């Protein structure tokens, strides 16, 4: 019988190091090969060419509008409602990708810059953005619907597009394309540049109070001290200081059903100090949650100058009558301008109602 002898040698530290390096090289090769596997490739992505404007913007200037100073708008990328079963989401407006759920668009000069979400816990954004909005794809090949609103709010990351928070005197807007789902079924795997259009409509009503002095040999500052709801019999006016709105259709979430609107009897200290600028075009300019006016004397506006209250102004129903002859009140997207003369009294000189974009001059509130 042949005896086979096996020699055993102790494993040295050098040999262990060599085996460890060999294992790392093998692992790196395996990872490299897996990345080359088409089935394991990264999800597709596509650039979306976005045109943003206000509803009243002339067609030739669409895409260039700056809204108001330093405004930023938000973009929600949602799983498309067109996705057939079994991919249809259980509820509408589910997030497509966390990184592009409540992205931010900000204009600088003639360009727009887009920032994505960095923190999926808080909704905080990356500190810098790119000149292109990129729709990142998913591994399940679903498509996306885009919805936009303004101004951008971080808290909207947790509420979604149907309950965006607002506070008083904010010019909230939504893209009219949201309601018709015009920016729908965008496929990041299309292999070409996609497009989306956002024409923003105002959610609030705009009020302007213009004052002139009977004798123009002096200057004075005027501030809006308070707005009060008098609750007369038959009155329907409401004053909301905060709440949420639905960016899909621009509607406010009613307190009676969702408890998300804060209805108050009065709003105080819209402007706490008299302005320092004096200009003949200046006025008190602010936004108000739209409300019907059914009877006289529903709302009272109180102004002050130099720390002293001026005689208050009580709203009459006919002063907010629209051109159709049947609508009374403050409506979304409309500007209501009231004219006054000051001497020893506050004299009401008339009013007008226009679309929001009809005002051509820039106002500095409260200075006359």
């Amino acid at each position: 019988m042949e005896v086979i002898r096996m020699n055993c040698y102790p494993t040295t530290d050098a040999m262990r190091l060599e085996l460890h390096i060999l294992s790392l090289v093998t692992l790196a090769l395996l990872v490299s090969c897996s990345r080359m596997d088409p089935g394991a490739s990264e999800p597709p992505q596509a650039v979306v060419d976005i045109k943003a404007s206000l509803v009243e913007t002339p067609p030739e200037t669409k895409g260039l509008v700056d809204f108001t100073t330093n405004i930023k708008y938000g973009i929600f990328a949602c799983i498309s409602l067109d996705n057939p079963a079994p991919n249809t989401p259980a509820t509408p407006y589910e997030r497509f990708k966390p990184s592009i759920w409540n992205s931010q668009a900000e204009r600088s000069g003639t360009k727009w810059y887009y920032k994505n979400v960095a923190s999926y816990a808080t909704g905080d954004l990356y500190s810098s953005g790119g000149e292109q909005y990129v729709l990142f794809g998913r591994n399940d090949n679903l498509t996306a619907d885009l919805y936009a609103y303004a101004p951008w709010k971080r808290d909207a990351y947790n509420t979604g597009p149907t309950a965006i928070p607002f506070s008083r005197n904010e010019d909230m807007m939504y893209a009219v394309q949201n309601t018709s789902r015009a920016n729908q079924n965008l496929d990041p795997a299309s292999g070409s540049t996609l497009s989306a259009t956002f024409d923003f409509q105002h959610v609030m009503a705009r009020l302007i109070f213009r004052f002139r002095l009977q004798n123009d040999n002096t200057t004075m500052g005027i501030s809006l001290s308070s707005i009060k709801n008098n609750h007369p019999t038959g009155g329907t006016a409401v004053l909301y200081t905060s709440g949420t709105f639905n960016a899909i259709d621009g509607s406010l979430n009613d307190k009676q059903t969702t408890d998300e609107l804060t209805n108050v009897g009065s709003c105080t200290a819209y402007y706490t100090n008299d302005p320092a600028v004096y200009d003949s075009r200046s006025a008190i300019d602010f936004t108000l949650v739209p409300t019907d006016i059914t009877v006289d004397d529903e709302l009272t506006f109180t102004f002050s100058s130099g720390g002293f209250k001026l005689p208050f102004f009580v709203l009459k129903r006919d002063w907010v009558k629209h051109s159709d002859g049947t609508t009374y009140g403050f409506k979304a997207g409309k500007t209501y301008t009231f004219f006054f003369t000051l001497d020893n009294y506050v004299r009401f000189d008339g009013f007008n109602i226009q679309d929001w974009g009809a005002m051509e001059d820039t106002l500095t509130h409260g200075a006359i």
Side-chain angles (χ1 to χ4, degrees), residues 208-214 220-224 279-286 301-305 310-313 337-343 345-349 364-368:
I208 297 175
F209 292 94
R210 288 187 177 276
F211 294 85
R212 71 179 185 89
L213 297 176
Q214 183 70 39
M220 62 187 298
I222 301 292
S223 295
L224 176 60
D279 189 293
S280 61
R281 298 179 303 164
S282 62
I284 296 174
D285 179 7
F286 64 100
F301 300 86
T302 303
F303 307 96
S304 63
S305 178
L310 300 175
F312 51 78
F313 168 61
T337 306
F338 300 87
F339 301 91
F340 301 89
T341 298
L342 288 177
D343 46 21
Y345 303 92
V346 179
R347 304 181 188 277
F348 179 57
D349 292 338
T364 302
H365 91 268
I368 61 174

Side-chain angles (χ1 to χ4, degrees), residues 51-340:
K51 291 182 173 58
S53 69
L54 294 172
V55 167
E56 62 266 16
T57 303
E60 61 271 16
T61 62
K62 286 187 181 296
L64 299 178
V65 66
D66 199 14
F67 300 128
T68 56
T69 304
N70 296 326
I71 200 167
K72 307 172 181 66
Y73 71 86
I75 304 172
F76 284 100
C78 301
I79 295 176
S80 179
L81 298 180
D82 291 335
N83 289 303
N87 292 327
T88 301
T91 57
Y93 317 119
E94 289 190 353
R95 64 184 63 186
F96 188 72
K97 297 274 286 189
S99 61
I100 49 176
W101 176 260
N102 200 34
S103 298
Q104 182 192 90
E106 179 181 13
R107 178 171 166 163
S108 178
T110 60
K111 296 180 180 180
W112 287 96
Y113 292 88
Y114 303 93
K115 295 180 181 179
N116 290 339
V117 176
S119 171
Y120 299 161
T122 65
D124 285 322
L125 305 170
Y126 286 101
S127 58
S128 61
E131 294 182 29
Q132 295 178 324
Y133 178 86
V134 178
L135 180 64
F136 298 100
R138 295 163 53 105
N139 289 322
D140 54 11
N141 299 319
L142 294 183
T143 57
D145 296 341
L146 298 186
Y147 305 93
Y149 74 97
W152 178 87
K153 288 178 173 285
R154 186 187 67 173
D155 291 345
Y157 179 82
N158 293 318
T159 65
T162 61
I164 296 172
F166 71 87
S167 57
R168 64 180 184 176
N169 206 27
E170 282 192 296
D171 182 13
M172 306 300 297
M173 293 181 282
Y174 73 103
V176 296
Q177 288 81 7
N178 296 352
T179 305
S180 62
R181 292 183 57 235
N183 303 307
Q184 63 176 305
N185 205 25
L186 300 182
D187 186 1
S190 64
S192 60
T193 299
L194 306 174
S195 63
T197 300
F198 301 131
D199 293 319
F200 287 90
Q201 172 70 55
H202 299 279
V203 175
M204 303 300 182
R206 182 187 189 192
L207 275 65
I208 297 175
F209 292 94
R210 288 187 177 276
F211 294 85
R212 71 179 185 89
L213 297 176
Q214 183 70 39
N215 302 300
D216 58 0
N217 58 353
T218 185
T219 57
M220 62 187 298
I222 301 292
S223 295
L224 176 60
S225 298
S226 67
I227 307 173
K228 181 181 179 182
N229 189 349
N230 300 310
H231 297 292
T233 301
T236 57
V238 291
L239 287 176
Y240 294 124
T241 56
S242 62
T244 66
F245 84 97
N246 187 333
I248 303 302
D249 58 11
S251 63
L252 297 174
N253 293 317
D254 195 289
K255 181 178 177 64
Q256 295 179 359
T257 57
T258 62
D259 201 32
E260 290 181 340
L261 289 176
T262 302
N263 191 353
V264 297
S266 65
C267 305
T268 59
Y270 264 76
Y271 302 107
T272 56
N273 299 310
D274 291 342
V277 179
Y278 297 94
D279 189 293
S280 61
R281 298 179 303 164
S282 62
I284 296 174
D285 179 7
F286 64 100
T287 64
L288 197 69
V289 172
T291 181
D292 292 330
I293 300 296
T294 308
V295 298
D296 287 343
D297 305 337
E298 292 203 55
L299 298 179
T300 295
F301 300 86
T302 303
F303 307 96
S304 63
S305 178
F308 296 96
K309 288 186 178 180
L310 300 175
F312 51 78
F313 168 61
V314 183
L315 185 69
K316 301 300 181 182
R317 178 172 179 256
D318 280 345
W319 295 344
V320 285
K321 180 180 179 180
H322 288 247
S323 58
D324 61 8
T326 59
T327 301
Y328 296 82
F330 299 115
K331 302 301 178 184
K334 298 293 184 180
T335 295
Y336 301 79
T337 306
F338 300 87
F339 301 91
F340 301 89

